[in-house]
Amino acid sequence: MYQLLDSPWLPVLRADGTVESIAPYAVTNGHDVNPVISVHAVRPDFTGSLVQFLIGLTQTALAPENEREWRRLYQTPPSPGELRDAFHPYESAFALGPDTTQPIFLQEQGLEGQILPISRLFLEMPGENAEKNNTDLFLKRGGIERLCPACAAAALYTFQTHASFGGAGHRVGLRGGGPLSTVIRGHTLWQTIWTNILPASEMGRFGDLSRTENDAVFPWLRQWEQKQGQLTVTPSMMHPCHMFWGMPRRIRLEFGGEGYCDLCGAQAESSVTGFVTKSRGMNYGFWHHTLTPVSMNTKTQEGLCKHVQPGGIPYRYWTIIMQASSGKEIQNEPAPVIPHFLQHRLKYVSKTTGGRPFRVWSSGYDMDKAKARCYYEGTMPVFEIDEDIRPQFEQAAQAFVESASYASSMTISQIKAALFSNKSEAKGDFSVISSRFWQDTETAFYDALKSAESILPEKGFEGLSDQGGPNHVWFGILRHEVFDLFDEYSLSLQIGESNPGRIARARRDLSRQFHSKKGIRTLLNIIEA
């Protein structure tokens, strides 16, 4: 059997550029001389998932009692031996191999059925219907036929973490299919892991801390009864750390003989060639995961984990990832690790970094039901804001994002009006225009936040609207981008096919809409522009 807590299977990058594979307990090996700085997997989704694996493992085995203990282990990381001792009680949950007489990592013992090709474990690969109907046009079957145990473990954890709807009874992940994950990124891998660990007392909000039995954390340690209409699994039924080890899919990996891994090229004595799966896995209710932002309905108090949408993760996600924001009936809340870090840890860790800022790393699949359209990732800077001005800073950030969203929407609407006599009949993919808008204005957005950060302590919120202040500058940035994009895309048709009169009317309407006393000027509190 392959023991995931003792075997060197995690691919990492050290400060000197060395790439190697280590056991989980070795993440602090050489921390003061040549530290491990990041996970370095063969795929970006593996990298994101394995970082969450390490955060989950550490949260489960080594949660600090309070912030004082957290600071101690941040300043002086535990040795590899200390980590190994902390992980040791959970070894029975992390065995991977063909022996199904004992619990196997994230799988159901003794599961029998049709053996599917291992490529089906990857969300972007064509499914059974695509292969049967020969519609796997862009990603062809047969590209991944054999995995080494390390890549198989990464693929399995990624699949169970991001699992999307897979047909009747094939459950979605604990956070829904393709959740948005947000991780505070430190300057070493240990800093990244430890910065995203909450004190044990804080975890009581996310489950039942009294459920200390191992199968309330690792569900594969129990033989679950699979019944139609089974009870929905909620946080109150499990230990909070179960959130990192959700098992929505009933799976058993099929091991074959010796061979080379089709992903990393490593030779394995016993490689993984397929898997068995059946329906009626664990059916999860709403879970507030510590690494995922949520939307809460203020009337019904129902929650929904945030997911990645087409177009990547630009700064329009700021009010989802970095701060709370409210609509008429919806309250957006960032992942719990974000506000905890800002309120309790940022000032402390800033003193230890030599001025190097922390960033929030966001990632996830953009899913269309069972189809993975793209895997996105991106980062955002963390601003060190005094708590007495934080509400005003967040109000300014929300105004910048909402005004940009409004400007982007009106631009696309008027480009459609310029190109088509009836906007409802507009054909083509206009998302490229939205992507251009957010990309072109991203640097200016962060400059506006920096300007607001410097002005608020002296002049307060009203000072942002002074002539030449960040609100006026931002208004000008938006105006420039709106008309540049309109002029470029409204003339995208050939001259003989374009309609100059319609273009002129659309541009005039765009100008009126943009400069209206309502809308953008109201959002930015600008009287004259």
Side-chain angles (χ1 to χ4, degrees), residues 83 86 113 154 169 224 267 310 366 415 489 515:
L83 283 179
W224 291 88
Q267 186 177 15
D366 166 26
I415 288 173
Y489 286 97
H515 292 95

Side-chain angles (χ1 to χ4, degrees), residues 396-415:
Q398 185 165 348
F400 294 151
V401 172
E402 288 181 354
S403 58
S405 182
Y406 191 42
S408 174
S409 295
M410 72 170 68
T411 304
I412 294 173
S413 178
Q414 293 305 329
I415 288 173

Side-chain angles (χ1 to χ4, degrees), residues 183-260:
V183 170
I184 303 158
R185 178 180 277 174
H187 305 295
T188 67
L189 182 54
W190 172 251
Q191 286 182 356
T192 296
I193 295 167
W194 196 238
T195 301
N196 291 278
I197 301 300
L198 293 180
S201 57
E202 288 288 318
M203 293 298 290
R205 297 188 291 135
F206 310 111
D208 186 353
L209 286 171
S210 69
R211 298 295 302 270
T212 56
E213 62 273 25
N214 277 351
D215 60 13
V217 179
F218 310 110
W220 57 93
L221 296 182
R222 180 193 304 182
Q223 286 289 349
W224 291 88
E225 292 184 4
Q226 308 300 332
K227 295 180 179 179
Q228 188 170 358
Q230 67 183 42
L231 188 67
T232 298
V233 180
T234 62
S236 63
M237 300 165 59
M238 295 290 182
H239 188 278
C241 288
H242 179 90
M243 69 174 71
F244 296 102
W245 313 110
M247 190 175 160
R249 297 295 185 89
R250 301 173 64 194
I251 285 176
R252 180 184 60 78
L253 298 181
E254 183 74 14
F255 281 75
E258 183 178 357
Y260 289 93

Side-chain angles (χ1 to χ4, degrees), residues 22-320:
I22 63 171
Y25 64 79
V27 293
T28 58
N29 185 30
H31 192 270
D32 295 331
V33 180
N34 184 24
V36 175
I37 60 173
S38 64
V39 172
H40 193 73
V42 294
R43 290 168 51 109
D45 56 342
F46 282 13
T47 295
S49 295
L50 290 177
V51 169
Q52 292 182 59
F53 172 92
L54 290 169
I55 292 171
L57 178 61
T58 307
Q59 182 74 69
T60 303
L62 200 66
E65 288 298 321
N66 49 46
E67 284 302 304
R68 183 178 180 180
E69 184 180 350
W70 183 90
R71 291 184 180 189
R72 179 178 65 82
L73 290 180
Y74 179 86
Q75 187 174 10
T76 306
S79 68
E82 290 171 326
L83 283 179
R84 190 171 193 171
D85 290 343
F87 297 158
H88 177 72
Y90 306 98
E91 283 189 351
S92 63
F94 290 88
L96 186 76
D99 181 4
T100 60
T101 62
Q102 65 182 57
I104 42 179
F105 177 66
L106 273 178
Q107 299 164 69
E108 183 177 328
Q109 291 177 249
L111 192 65
E112 299 294 338
Q114 178 187 2
I115 298 175
L116 302 176
I118 195 61
S119 62
R120 298 265 189 89
L121 205 59
F122 295 83
L123 293 174
E124 80 279 6
M125 296 303 288
E128 182 179 2
N129 287 336
E131 293 184 6
K132 186 182 298 183
N133 299 326
N134 201 34
T135 57
D136 49 332
L137 303 177
F138 301 104
L139 287 169
K140 301 297 290 184
R141 71 198 78 174
I144 302 173
E145 298 179 350
R146 189 180 297 270
L147 296 177
C148 65
C151 287
L156 179 61
Y157 188 78
T158 300
F159 184 77
Q160 294 279 31
T161 300
H162 296 274
S164 61
F165 176 71
H170 290 275
R171 312 293 191 188
V172 299
L174 180 142
R175 292 173 277 175
L180 171 63
S181 299
T182 60
V183 170
I184 303 158
R185 178 180 277 174
H187 305 295
T188 67
L189 182 54
W190 172 251
Q191 286 182 356
T192 296
I193 295 167
W194 196 238
T195 301
N196 291 278
I197 301 300
L198 293 180
S201 57
E202 288 288 318
M203 293 298 290
R205 297 188 291 135
F206 310 111
D208 186 353
L209 286 171
S210 69
R211 298 295 302 270
T212 56
E213 62 273 25
N214 277 351
D215 60 13
V217 179
F218 310 110
W220 57 93
L221 296 182
R222 180 193 304 182
Q223 286 289 349
W224 291 88
E225 292 184 4
Q226 308 300 332
K227 295 180 179 179
Q228 188 170 358
Q230 67 183 42
L231 188 67
T232 298
V233 180
T234 62
S236 63
M237 300 165 59
M238 295 290 182
H239 188 278
C241 288
H242 179 90
M243 69 174 71
F244 296 102
W245 313 110
M247 190 175 160
R249 297 295 185 89
R250 301 173 64 194
I251 285 176
R252 180 184 60 78
L253 298 181
E254 183 74 14
F255 281 75
E258 183 178 357
Y260 289 93
C261 178
D262 287 329
L263 278 184
C264 71
Q267 186 177 15
E269 294 181 2
S270 181
S271 56
V272 180
T273 55
F275 68 100
V276 175
T277 185
K278 287 190 176 181
S279 62
R280 310 299 174 195
M282 298 189 76
N283 186 27
Y284 289 102
F286 170 66
W287 283 65
H288 196 166
H289 195 286
T290 60
L291 303 180
T292 293
V294 299
S295 291
M296 300 297 297
N297 187 304
T298 55
K299 288 187 176 181
T300 64
Q301 293 302 306
E302 294 177 345
L304 183 67
C305 291
K306 288 291 187 179
H307 297 79
V308 181
Q309 300 298 319
I313 310 175
Y315 72 87
R316 68 184 174 92
Y317 280 78
W318 178 273
T319 53
I320 293 173

Side-chain angles (χ1 to χ4, degrees), residues 429-445:
D429 182 9
F430 289 86
S431 63
V432 65
I433 303 173
S434 177
S435 296
R436 273 279 307 278
F437 179 93
W438 294 105
Q439 179 179 345
D440 291 351
T441 56
E442 184 168 32
T443 299
F445 170 74

